[in-house]
Amino acid sequence: TPLSSMRKTIASVTVRSKTEAPHFYITTSVNMTKTLDKRKEFNDQSDVHVSVNDLIIFSTVNALKRFPKFNSSFQNDNLMVYSQINIGIAIALEAGLIVPALIDCQDKSLKEISSSAKDLGNRAKGNGGSLSQEENTSGTFSISNLGMFDVENFTAIIVPPQAAILATGKVIPAPVVDESKIVISQEMKATLSVDHRVADGAEAALFLGEIKSFLENPDNLFS
């Protein structure tokens, strides 16, 4: 069966990424219990309904402001750090996967990110317009969320020439130890894939920890 043009592009990009960028991966578990409670309260009172993915994007943007190295690319033995934070969102279409970007996220509020993400998704699926050249080519960091497909944990391939990508799974109830007591919390696995030419494990752990800190503290998100 001949490959479609989109499948050929995906094959080329993923081979380039895995060939050129030495990937390493780190995973953490995020306690989403308080944040999901606050999200429900927020959505009940707001005209903009925020998704879990919107919270992940917003938390990542804030973490990138503190760790700009991960908003960069390795080019010709130099590190190009971008002033714009353009978050690529992996979107599954019938023909294949695309990763268009939300442009200039560094200045957006949670509500603005939520509205922009919904608009981007609709246009990516052919509803309400087409994607711009900038949206298709200017991502500086990407997020892939398979939680809606009942996936708990996975690793993603970096979108070249970016330095990293965050993969998140489904939020599930799980037993955790809290002050010597076992309680049920809403847990989400998050895995960061990193280009080892750009950053090392300890730096990546601090960056992923910052994303986790934002996601676990709803006051950071809904202020």
Side-chain angles (χ1 to χ4, degrees):
T1 301
L3 294 179
S4 66
S5 58
M6 181 177 287
R7 200 75 248 168
K8 289 178 181 178
T9 299
I10 292 169
S12 174
V13 168
T14 51
V15 168
R16 175 191 166 194
S17 178
K18 292 291 282 187
T19 302
E20 295 180 2
H23 288 53
F24 73 90
Y25 313 94
I26 58 172
T27 300
T28 192
S29 187
V30 183
N31 187 335
M32 297 288 289
T33 307
K34 293 179 181 178
T35 295
L36 291 182
D37 289 343
K38 187 68 175 180
R39 170 178 169 261
K40 184 179 184 306
E41 179 185 326
F42 179 86
N43 284 345
D44 287 343
Q45 300 172 356
S46 173
D47 56 338
V48 176
H49 282 205
V50 171
S51 69
V52 171
N53 205 50
D54 297 334
L55 298 174
I56 294 168
I57 297 168
F58 187 64
S59 298
T60 301
V61 169
N62 280 280
L64 286 169
K65 291 178 184 179
R66 184 174 175 187
F67 294 90
K69 175 182 281 192
F70 294 90
N71 193 58
S72 69
S73 63
F74 183 88
Q75 297 185 20
N76 300 320
D77 292 330
N78 291 284
L79 194 61
M80 179 176 289
V81 181
Y82 303 105
S83 57
Q84 284 183 299
I85 298 178
N86 302 333
I87 301 294
I89 308 298
I91 298 174
L93 304 177
E94 187 174 342
L97 181 73
I98 60 173
V99 194
L102 296 177
I103 306 299
D104 279 335
C105 289
Q106 69 275 1
D107 299 320
K108 284 182 166 62
S109 66
L110 176 59
K111 282 188 175 183
E112 289 171 334
I113 281 178
S114 180
S115 296
S116 296
K118 289 179 177 64
D119 173 64
L120 187 76
N122 285 332
R123 287 188 289 113
K125 295 170 184 176
N127 303 319
S130 59
L131 299 170
S132 69
Q133 180 71 12
E134 184 181 22
E135 288 170 329
N136 278 318
T137 60
S138 299
T140 59
F141 182 97
S142 292
I143 295 172
S144 182
N145 181 0
L146 289 179
M148 66 288 293
F149 295 106
D150 203 29
V151 171
E152 295 181 14
N153 192 27
F154 72 106
T155 57
I157 297 175
I158 298 167
V159 181
Q162 297 168 29
I165 184 170
L166 181 69
T168 58
K170 179 183 179 181
V171 179
I172 60 172
V176 299
V177 177
D178 182 14
E179 296 182 355
S180 301
K181 295 180 181 179
I182 296 177
V183 298
I184 301 298
S185 68
Q186 299 298 317
E187 297 288 318
M188 180 184 74
K189 296 292 186 183
T191 299
L192 186 68
S193 305
V194 183
D195 184 340
H196 217 323
R197 297 172 300 176
V198 173
D200 300 323
E203 295 171 299
L206 290 171
F207 172 57
L208 185 58
E210 186 75 359
I211 297 174
K212 173 185 170 83
S213 177
F214 264 93
L215 283 170
E216 290 186 338
N217 292 280
D219 288 344
N220 294 335
L221 301 168
F222 298 99
S223 58

